[in-house]
Amino acid sequence: MSSQTQGYQISRVESTIVDLPIRRKHTTGAMAMEHQSSVILEIHTAEGLVGIGEATVPGGGPGWGGESVESMKQIIDHHLAPALLSTRFHGLNDAVSLAVSAFRGASFALAGIEMALHDLHGKRHDLSIAEMFGGLVHDRLPVLWSIGANVESLLTESLSYVEAGHRTIKFMLGSGDPPTEVRRVVEVIGHLPDDVVVTVDCNGRWDESTARQLLPPLAEAGVQVAEQPVPAWDLGACQRLRGLGSMKIMADESVQSVRDLMRVIQAASADLVAVKVPKFGGLSPARSAITLADVAGLGFWAGGTMESSVGTAAAAQLFGTYHEIAGCDLVGPLLMTADVVTESVRYVDGALVIPRGPGLGVDLDRDKVRHYARR
Ligand code: MN
């Protein structure tokens, strides 16, 4: 019998919180980031293979998704890792389902483990993540650049990224006085080339009447997408804002699970959905979300949560298997000034070059992991 049919035994799971420096402070409606933290994971097998993964929440704290690097590490060390050490596995599916049942509801922690199990599966079978999902249809993913509300000159930063090749600029709103923020953004848009797509993300911080007032002037200025203008729970308001017809409404915080996406579809409250691997609990449920969105006629935005090259590689390999992608947010490695892999993912002309396998197609640099590890 080959080693593949005999299955495998996990001998050790390592989790390390890393704090990675970022280019500049990044303020959104949900938080102000001074650095990005995540949990880097290594799953070792008795046969000597290692699967790597990354558990991420935006900013590393609980302000966005209700999990934090500290809570994820606890759940991984005390619940997910012991479950994975308890038995031999035939392959990917039985390992993932055991992890899913070991701790309900901690999607962001689970996503890191699920990613590492996919990397391990890829290494056992010499397949990339993309090949597991039918293969890439793109070599690169054009990515937006996301501009925090704290940036001194929105125009200078926008233009420098447009010059570097980014064709979509996203302005983060929701952290200041709404009319002032909107005036500032509208002024900048007038100075951008006409073919640049502009989106805004309010992180759910506006109420319906503010959005009703301020989305039309943003649309008139050329903004094409409003991401989560109102709170996650307010599907009715999103549905009514869609009715203004001024721009596309994208659900992000409203959709934290595939079931949430079903509710958004039933409420007709979005044109687009932000698919982020961590919030759904991994690559596999993210695929289900993309399938469901497609069936319901919603576009999907290939989202990110400011992952390092590890999480970015995994998500890019998944997203690169789809022809129709509304846009892509995988810019963590561009915001960070340090990484935890031997060779960071590359960006060329504003596009992320999708890594090839096996597995994620990136390798941990353990010296870097140690260097940025939280003490
Ligand atoms: Mn968002």
Side-chain angles (χ1 to χ4, degrees), residues 331-344:
V331 293
L334 281 180
L335 184 67
M336 290 176 217
T337 54
D339 212 325
V340 292
V341 294
T342 52
E343 262 180 79
S344 291

Side-chain angles (χ1 to χ4, degrees), residues 14-352:
E14 266 183 72
S15 68
T16 311
I17 297 178
V18 293
D19 298 309
L20 296 171
I22 58 177
R23 201 163 295 285
R24 53 144 175 82
K25 192 174 163 186
H26 189 58
T27 303
T28 72
M31 78 205 65
M33 288 171 62
E34 307 271 359
H35 53 254
Q36 169 64 332
S37 306
S38 65
V39 184
I40 300 299
L41 297 163
E42 292 176 60
I43 296 183
H44 296 256
T45 69
E47 295 79 10
L49 287 174
V50 187
I52 64 170
E54 179 176 19
T56 325
V57 290
W64 196 90
E67 290 177 59
S68 67
V69 286
E70 296 85 3
S71 76
M72 292 191 293
K73 183 170 165 51
Q74 287 285 317
I75 288 165
I76 290 162
D77 291 352
H78 296 283
H79 301 282
L80 301 180
L84 291 173
L85 294 174
S86 67
T87 182
R88 280 189 78 78
F89 295 111
H90 296 291
L92 177 62
N93 290 340
D94 54 340
V96 169
S97 32
L98 187 66
V100 169
S101 62
F103 198 104
R104 296 284 176 193
S107 305
F108 291 83
L110 183 63
I113 290 288
E114 198 251 21
M115 187 185 298
L117 290 171
H118 275 77
D119 185 45
L120 188 59
H121 187 74
K123 286 169 175 163
R124 292 183 74 230
H125 298 275
D126 197 26
L127 289 171
S128 68
I129 302 289
E131 283 164 339
M132 289 180 210
F133 301 148
L136 292 176
V137 295
H138 306 280
D139 295 322
R140 299 175 182 191
L141 298 172
V143 293
L144 57 63
W145 185 247
S146 166
I147 304 197
N150 58 300
V151 168
E152 204 169 306
S153 170
L154 298 182
L155 182 60
T156 308
E157 181 158 326
S158 304
L159 287 176
S160 77
Y161 282 87
V162 166
E163 269 160 37
H166 299 263
R167 304 322 289 172
T168 303
I169 297 288
K170 166 154 99 171
F171 293 102
M172 303 306 295
L173 302 175
S175 64
D177 171 55
T180 311
E181 281 188 319
V182 166
R183 258 198 309 279
R184 210 173 155 220
V185 166
V186 166
E187 210 179 281
V188 173
I189 297 171
H191 298 283
L192 297 179
D194 288 341
D195 61 340
V196 171
V197 173
V198 180
T199 76
V200 294
D201 186 350
C202 303
N203 289 116
R205 292 304 164 113
W206 287 358
D207 58 22
E208 183 174 356
S209 69
T210 305
R212 186 168 284 277
Q213 248 182 328
L214 295 179
L215 291 186
L218 282 168
E220 205 167 307
V223 175
Q224 296 183 20
V225 178
E227 184 173 338
Q228 203 66 52
V230 295
W233 55 266
D234 203 349
L235 302 186
C238 282
Q239 187 263 333
R240 290 184 289 275
L241 292 170
R242 280 186 76 204
L244 293 177
S246 56
M247 64 178 85
K248 287 185 172 168
I249 301 292
M250 177 147 71
D252 184 5
E253 283 89 339
S254 291
V255 177
Q256 304 271 359
S257 66
V258 183
R259 278 200 187 85
D260 280 350
L261 178 56
M262 271 174 61
R263 281 188 277 270
V264 161
I265 291 165
Q266 283 158 353
S269 66
D271 303 283
L272 295 165
V273 57
V275 173
K276 297 173 175 175
V277 169
K279 69 181 183 182
F280 290 109
L283 295 156
S284 193
R287 286 186 85 206
S288 304
I290 295 169
T291 304
L292 180 58
D294 184 45
V295 168
L298 264 72
F300 95 87
W301 196 281
T305 55
M306 295 297 180
E307 298 87 345
S308 76
S309 280
V310 177
T312 300
Q317 288 210 35
L318 167 67
F319 297 144
T321 65
Y322 292 92
H323 284 284
E324 299 289 332
I325 306 173
C328 182
D329 269 12
L330 289 173
V331 293
L334 281 180
L335 184 67
M336 290 176 217
T337 54
D339 212 325
V340 292
V341 294
T342 52
E343 262 180 79
S344 291
V345 295
R346 288 188 308 124
Y347 292 85
V348 177
D349 298 332
L352 168 61

